[in-house]
Structures are given as C-alpha cells and as structure tokens.
Amino acid sequence: MAKSAFVYDISLQDFETRVIDASHEVPVLVDFWAPWCGPCRTLGPMLEKLAEEYGGRFLLAKVNADEEQALAAQFRVRSIPSVKAVINGQLVDEFTGAQPEPALRAFIDRLLPSPIESLRAEAREARARGELEMAAALLAQALGHEPENEALRLDLVEVLIDQDALEDARPLLDGRATPTQDEARVAQLEERLALLSQAPQDAGEVATLAARVQAEPADLSVRLAYAQALVGARRFDEAFAQLLEVVRRDRSFEDDAGRKTMVQLFGTVNDDGLVRRYRSELAATLNGF
C-alpha cells in the first residue's frame, strides 16, 4: 500500500512502472528492509522523513526483502537494510546498513541535479518552444548564482542573438573567462555576431540594392551586397535566395563568397525549416557543377 505520494511499497509486479519508469523523471531510492531487522527500523523512518521533506525531488520505494526475494536477488542484496539508487532505469549508487541523517542527505544530494542545471534545462525547453524572453530570464537567473559559468554565459549569448539583442550579447561574449573551455562554440557565436552586426540594416539601402539587382542581374557584387543588406534587415529567406543565385551564376565569385556566406548564415538563423530547405537547395546546386 502506498504510504504517500513520495514513499510507497513495491513488489515485483509493479517494479517496472514504479521504479524503472519513475526513475526517468526523478531519482528513485529502493529500500530493502525486513520486519525483524533492527537497523531497518532506524533507517526506514529517516528515509521516509527525508522523502517528504524533499517534496518529490526523489522517490522512496520500499521492498520487504522477505516477501520479495526475487527482487532482492535481482538487486544482489546480501544484507539489509540495503538502499539502491536508480536513475534513468540504471543502478547508479548504493549503500548498506543504517546511516546517520547527514550522510543520508549527502547521498541524496549527490543524486539530484543542481538548481543551476535545472534552470538551464528549463531555459533549453523554453527556447525550443520559442519563448525566448523566458529562456533569457531563466539563464540570467542561473548566471546570477554562477557568474563564472561559461556554459551558462554562452547559452544566454545564443538566446540574445536569437532575440536580435546584439548589443546585450556582445559584452557577455567578450566578458567570458579566458582561456575559453569551448573554443568551437565561442568561434561560432563570434561568427554569428559578426555576420549580424556588420550587415547594413537601413531600409532605404535595401530598396536601392534591390533595384540595382533588378537592373543589373549579372553584377554579382551588387547581388552579394543585397544579400548582406537583407541579412541586416533579418529577411533571411530572401537573403538565402540571393546567395544561392550567386552560387548558381558563379561558384568561384570572390573566393566562393556565396556558398561561404550561406554556410555562415546556416549557423545564425534560428529557423530549422528554413535552414534545412536551403541546405538541400545548396547541396543540389553544388552537385550540379
């Protein structure tokens, strides 16, 4: 019978759902005990108290080892009390015998994700949903706790670039610790910022270049400048189309500038569908050479 939402008795029949499946959400401690076991009467109540105190950050599944000998054998229980920690369906840690409460807390805390990583995971999910303001707020909150955490800082830079908040992104990227721990990621973010920051954004200039492309379709330098202006105006679909046309007309123009700029843009645009489409079109164009 279930003792509470966080503490419950299990048997072989419900082990798969109440331990293995549940452990994909939060850590599950499996406490093997028996009514005749003195240390079990000390350890069990402490574990149950902590399960309630932690409020669902871990679950406590209790197994009467006398009644569930198959489960005890499956976990290779040699003596009791024996506590097994299961995360994502895997046994990750264990201990045998009664333990003082501080040791139990330390054991449990090692199994739990840090609050910082939880905030970071929430931010990733918010960004995937397109909720960029929420993602930025969560990352800023996490960064307030660990201002030297480079991974958090770079996550926030990415979200700010997605929001087109380049003036906020640049100081964060420049203020990172050196030497960097992730040179490839930093280089990619530098490239994204450079591409978006240097492109002209004046609407009049975009219109002027559009007219010039219409009047001089064979002038690839004008078409390339038009594509860069479209990037500045955040009209990425049109920019890709102009760059692809440069590649189609002259692959070697300005040292393969059309293709290289498209590849840069693939890492800049936060639109997977658009990027996939133009990656495919670029590949088809290149294969035609």
Side-chain angles (χ1 to χ4, degrees):
M1 177 181 294
K3 297 176 181 297
S4 78
F6 313 131
V7 182
Y8 44 83
D9 296 315
I10 63 165
S11 65
L12 184 61
Q13 285 68 38
D14 58 6
F15 171 78
E16 187 74 23
T17 56
R18 307 213 71 184
V19 174
I20 299 301
D21 292 348
S23 73
H24 288 275
E25 300 296 328
V26 294
V28 178
L29 298 189
V30 185
D31 175 24
F32 289 90
W33 66 284
W36 49 264
C37 168
C40 297
R41 290 194 291 272
T42 300
L43 178 66
M46 280 198 293
L47 286 173
E48 292 176 26
K49 183 192 82 166
L50 291 174
E52 298 298 332
E53 180 183 320
Y54 277 67
R57 294 177 64 199
F58 78 92
L59 301 176
L60 179 62
K62 299 183 67 67
V63 180
N64 184 323
D66 284 350
E67 296 177 356
E68 299 293 335
Q69 295 182 20
L71 262 182
Q74 181 177 328
F75 274 92
R76 298 182 181 178
V77 173
R78 299 287 182 263
S79 62
I80 55 174
S82 181
V83 176
K84 315 285 184 173
V86 181
I87 296 177
N88 292 325
Q90 302 295 319
L91 177 65
V92 297
D93 206 349
E94 59 188 304
F95 67 83
T96 301
Q99 304 286 324
E101 186 171 314
L104 293 178
R105 288 182 181 277
F107 180 84
I108 294 165
D109 289 342
R110 287 197 302 272
L111 303 172
L112 302 178
S114 74
I116 299 301
E117 285 305 312
S118 295
L119 286 169
R120 191 181 181 199
E122 288 181 51
R124 281 196 297 268
E125 293 170 4
R127 185 185 179 203
R129 295 192 303 268
E131 298 172 0
L132 298 180
E133 288 188 11
M134 178 180 290
L138 289 165
L139 290 168
Q141 181 183 345
L143 202 56
H145 293 289
E146 291 188 11
E148 302 305 315
N149 188 317
E150 182 182 83
L152 284 174
R153 183 180 290 263
L154 297 183
D155 284 354
L156 183 52
V157 169
E158 284 189 342
V159 172
L160 291 172
I161 292 174
D162 289 346
Q163 290 181 297
D164 207 19
L166 306 186
E167 292 183 0
D168 295 327
R170 169 53 65 187
L172 273 173
L173 192 58
D174 290 344
R176 70 187 185 280
T178 53
T180 182
Q181 297 176 357
D182 194 341
E183 292 182 3
R185 190 177 181 199
V186 168
Q188 182 189 50
L189 291 172
E190 289 279 10
E191 195 172 79
R192 289 186 68 189
L193 271 174
L195 184 63
L196 293 173
S197 300
Q198 293 176 9
Q201 301 187 44
D202 181 76
E205 183 173 0
V206 174
T208 298
L209 287 167
R212 288 188 61 189
V213 168
Q214 188 72 21
E216 311 165 57
D219 190 334
L220 298 188
S221 61
V222 173
R223 193 178 293 273
L224 187 60
Y226 179 41
Q228 291 168 337
L230 288 167
V231 171
R234 306 307 186 255
R235 291 160 57 180
F236 297 120
D237 195 339
E238 297 168 80
F240 275 129
Q242 293 301 321
L243 292 167
L244 188 62
E245 187 62 22
V246 171
V247 176
R248 284 172 175 158
R249 286 174 178 262
D250 184 355
R251 168 72 188 277
S252 64
F253 177 73
E254 290 192 7
D255 191 27
D256 201 13
R259 183 192 64 81
K260 288 179 179 177
T261 307
M262 284 190 79
V263 171
Q264 281 185 309
L265 205 51
F266 289 150
T268 298
V269 175
N270 186 32
D271 185 334
D272 291 341
L274 186 66
V275 168
R276 281 196 302 271
R277 175 156 65 90
Y278 277 102
R279 279 191 189 277
S280 177
E281 292 195 28
L282 178 60
T285 299
L286 295 177
N287 289 334
F289 278 97

